Amino acid sequence: MAEKPLEQEMATEDHGYAMTTAYTTMLIENPDTVLRNRGPSFAVYDELLRDDQVKACFQQRRSGLTSASWHVDPATESPEDIAAAEFLHEQIEKVGWDDVCDKMLYGVFYGFAVSEIMWEMTEQAKVGIAKIKVRDRARFSYNTDDQLMLMDNISHPMGLVMPEEKFWTYSAGANHDDNPYGQGLAHSLYWPVFFKRNDIKFWLIFLEKFGMPTTAIRMPEGQMANPQQISKAKQALAAIQADSGVVIPDGMVIELIEAARSGTADYDGLVERMDKAISKVILSQTMTTDDGSSRAQAEVHFGVGQAVIDSDADLIADSFRRGPATWLTNWNFPNADVPRITRDTKPEMDLSERAERDSKIFSLGYEPTQDYIEETYGTGWERKTAVPVPSALMTDGQGPMPAEFAELNALLQGRIDHRSDQEKIAAAAELFGTKYQAMYGKQVERIQEYLEDSGDFETFKRHMTTMMAEVAPSESVQAIQNATVVGRLMGMLRGQRN
């Protein structure tokens, strides 16, 4: 067994730990331009989650992940690998795997995620997981040696290097490995949300200003210099807003100033456009959150959104497998390969579609097992008993024929004869088609010449009339007569069978 893992909690909330590791390397600054210009704190991205569209879309992405069932598969069928997979399943089920994955998925939103593994020794003297605490990423940085640094310790304001095999981290969205912080969805969401919020602010001002007409009083110019008259006018305006009836001095004219423009399409259109931009950033499509134009397009958009959820599941499972799952396996099962954690994110196929697919597979000669039928369509199904076919029906009618199968035999024989007739007709048609050039080739060539030489329809008509008056070659007439006779004979024979 490898060196015993560190069980002590490192990133405590009260920062009450002591660690002798010194800060020796420079920190890597997060290159996110929004955080640099709007403030280094992730609080600017926290505000984005208050937007209704961001909240709904990201919740759809999270629930799509956590609602899918998960399982741990051994790397091989060896007893050691199976034991390692069962142990890992037990450990992550105990700590609430869905809740952990839901919190860790926020790393896709912010760019990276950090969680601390609280190790413990089990009753079987194995290293187990007591808890997985997803930490606030704002408390951590990376140094130039790609080491995770805790930055909020009072005793070590320059940061502390966190021990290996203690923290599970991953980053997402960056286009190179030199950025350990990644680049989250929030970076691309900042401006759509910013424009949307400001648009709504101006929209509310517009509604307040033009939602109801503004009251105005017109006064003679001589009264405008009299403070008492102006005071009376203001009192009248206040009374109009608050009272059901007012007294207006003689000489004052009250008017209602209404908006010179109407409608709110400009504001509403911008909000809708920004909502679609938010949906595309988070879900890579819009029709699972907004109205679609057709079912076909909606199905395509659903498939795109499903691919995003599949990617999230693979990202989290792969990062955990390369980190805590590998450490656990090496400590407890040194001869085993690391198990795989997967989620069944694919939506279940509709039963009608599955039945149609199974029917097509059955027509190819494959038959489903009883276990497959019960697993797919539920219990309560029994295989239909096959009707035995007498050997007399499998031959050319030789041998004794039981009376109870006479009608069935006639039906089967009729189908065989009908298929034979069709094959013969097809063969005759194919043979007749090979004679086409000999019988009609010269006439077709003449018609093509008439079309090329004739300058008008009347000339072409005269040529065709002359050709139709000619006597057809005897060999062509004989071939058509033979084909007609053969067709009639086959029809008569078929009638006799029926």
Side-chain angles (χ1 to χ4, degrees), residues 10 18-24 143 147 149 156 159-163:
M10 302 302 301
M19 190 171 180
T20 58
T21 303
Y23 174 75
T24 57
N143 62 20
Q147 294 174 310
M149 306 285 296
H156 301 80
L160 290 174
V161 177
M162 293 291 97

Side-chain angles (χ1 to χ4, degrees), residues 24-282:
T24 57
T25 56
M26 296 182 62
L27 294 175
I28 298 177
E29 185 180 4
N30 193 330
D32 191 309
T33 55
V34 173
L35 294 180
R36 285 186 176 185
N37 296 329
R38 301 289 169 172
S41 173
F42 280 99
V44 65
Y45 287 162
D46 295 340
E47 283 295 311
L48 301 182
L49 291 170
R50 296 175 55 191
D51 181 83
D52 61 324
Q53 187 76 354
V54 174
K55 182 71 173 181
C57 291
F58 195 62
Q59 184 173 356
Q60 179 179 335
R61 188 162 171 172
R62 289 162 45 216
S63 61
L65 173 71
T66 57
S67 62
S69 60
W70 59 271
H71 46 88
V72 181
D73 300 318
T76 67
E77 295 300 322
S78 67
E80 189 82 357
D81 288 351
I82 294 176
E86 292 176 349
F87 182 78
L88 180 60
H89 184 282
E90 175 186 344
Q91 294 301 307
I92 63 177
E93 183 179 35
K94 178 179 62 176
V95 299
W97 183 240
D98 284 338
D99 180 65
V100 171
C101 289
D102 180 64
K103 294 175 181 175
M104 287 295 288
L105 189 58
Y106 278 90
V108 176
F109 184 84
Y110 290 96
F112 73 106
V114 179
S115 65
E116 183 175 358
I117 312 298
M118 308 306 299
W119 303 114
E120 66 176 358
M121 298 303 297
T122 66
E123 297 179 355
Q124 295 79 21
K126 289 183 171 59
V127 179
I129 302 177
K131 192 172 183 179
I132 299 179
K133 293 187 175 183
V134 181
R135 300 298 190 181
D136 183 1
R137 65 201 50 78
R139 301 169 59 194
F140 297 89
S141 295
Y142 286 91
N143 62 20
T144 53
D145 291 333
D146 288 335
Q147 294 174 310
L148 185 68
M149 306 285 296
L150 182 64
M151 303 304 299
D152 59 351
N153 184 266
I154 298 176
S155 302
H156 301 80
M158 297 300 294
L160 290 174
V161 177
M162 293 291 97
E164 297 181 359
E165 299 179 342
K166 179 63 174 173
F167 287 84
W168 166 30
T169 65
Y170 77 86
S171 64
N175 58 3
H176 54 75
D177 294 331
D178 295 336
N179 179 11
Y181 300 98
Q183 184 164 290
L185 301 174
H187 176 82
S188 301
L189 291 171
Y190 179 81
W191 290 111
V193 174
F194 177 84
F195 292 140
K196 176 183 174 181
R197 288 181 176 175
N198 282 274
D199 174 71
I200 293 177
K201 179 178 68 175
F202 291 121
W203 192 359
L204 293 175
I205 294 174
F206 172 85
L207 293 176
E208 181 182 6
K209 187 174 182 180
F210 299 107
M212 62 175 59
T214 302
T215 308
I217 293 182
R218 294 184 181 276
M219 302 171 57
E221 186 174 355
Q223 295 181 0
M224 292 296 296
N226 190 337
Q228 294 182 352
Q229 294 296 329
I230 295 177
S231 177
K232 290 180 181 180
K234 291 181 178 181
Q235 292 176 2
L237 291 175
I240 290 175
Q241 296 179 359
D243 300 337
S244 58
V246 294
V247 177
I248 305 298
D250 188 23
M252 291 185 182
V253 179
I254 297 178
E255 295 180 352
L256 297 178
I257 302 176
E258 296 187 283
R261 51 173 292 185
S262 62
T264 58
D266 294 341
Y267 298 103
D268 188 30
L270 181 58
V271 170
E272 182 179 357
R273 180 66 182 86
M274 292 301 100
D275 279 344
K276 289 184 177 181
I278 292 170
S279 297
K280 285 191 288 186
V281 169
I282 299 178

Side-chain angles (χ1 to χ4, degrees), residues 282-497:
I282 299 178
L283 300 173
S284 297
Q285 47 85 23
T286 61
M287 288 191 180
T288 58
T289 54
D290 303 293
D291 294 335
S293 58
S294 68
R295 177 180 178 182
Q297 290 184 352
E299 290 177 351
V300 171
H301 282 231
F302 177 80
V304 173
Q306 194 63 41
V308 172
I309 296 175
D310 295 342
S311 176
D312 290 341
D314 292 340
L315 174 65
I316 291 181
D318 183 64
S319 64
F320 186 82
R321 184 175 185 270
R322 289 184 285 106
T326 298
W327 307 332
L328 270 182
T329 304
N330 292 339
W331 289 332
N332 300 314
F333 304 92
N335 297 323
D337 292 329
V338 183
R340 298 183 300 273
I341 304 175
T342 56
R343 283 187 180 270
D344 299 326
T345 56
K346 300 295 183 183
E348 294 186 3
M349 184 183 297
D350 184 78
L351 284 182
S352 60
E353 295 180 1
R354 185 181 290 270
E356 182 178 355
R357 185 200 66 176
D358 292 346
S359 177
K360 293 179 180 179
I361 296 177
F362 180 80
S363 65
L364 296 176
Y366 295 91
E367 191 173 276
T369 62
Q370 185 68 24
D371 292 339
Y372 173 79
I373 293 296
E374 293 182 355
E375 180 181 353
T376 306
Y377 302 103
T379 58
W381 297 89
E382 293 182 0
R383 186 174 297 277
K384 184 178 180 180
T385 304
V387 178
V389 180
S391 59
L393 297 181
M394 306 303 294
T395 64
D396 294 334
Q398 301 176 358
M401 171 58 63
E404 59 269 22
F405 294 106
E407 183 178 354
L408 178 60
N409 180 65
L411 178 61
L412 292 176
Q413 190 62 42
R415 292 182 176 178
I416 294 173
D417 294 339
H418 177 67
R419 181 175 298 176
S420 177
D421 290 344
Q422 290 179 327
E423 293 175 353
K424 292 177 180 178
I425 293 173
E430 183 178 359
L431 178 62
F432 188 71
T434 61
K435 305 294 184 179
Y436 166 81
Q437 185 63 30
M439 292 186 296
Y440 299 110
K442 294 182 179 180
Q443 286 79 354
V444 173
E445 292 177 358
R446 291 177 62 186
I447 294 174
Q448 291 176 343
E449 292 177 358
Y450 294 156
L451 288 172
E452 294 175 357
D453 298 339
S454 300
D456 54 71
F457 176 75
E458 292 298 330
T459 303
F460 176 74
K461 182 178 180 181
R462 287 196 302 270
H463 286 313
M464 291 298 298
T465 302
T466 302
M467 188 182 73
M468 296 296 293
E470 297 176 358
V471 179
S474 59
E475 60 272 14
S476 300
V477 176
Q478 186 66 33
I480 295 176
Q481 288 178 347
N482 292 340
T484 303
V485 171
V486 171
R488 290 181 178 177
L489 288 175
M490 292 181 67
M492 294 172 61
L493 291 173
R494 183 178 179 186
Q496 291 179 0
R497 292 197 198 102

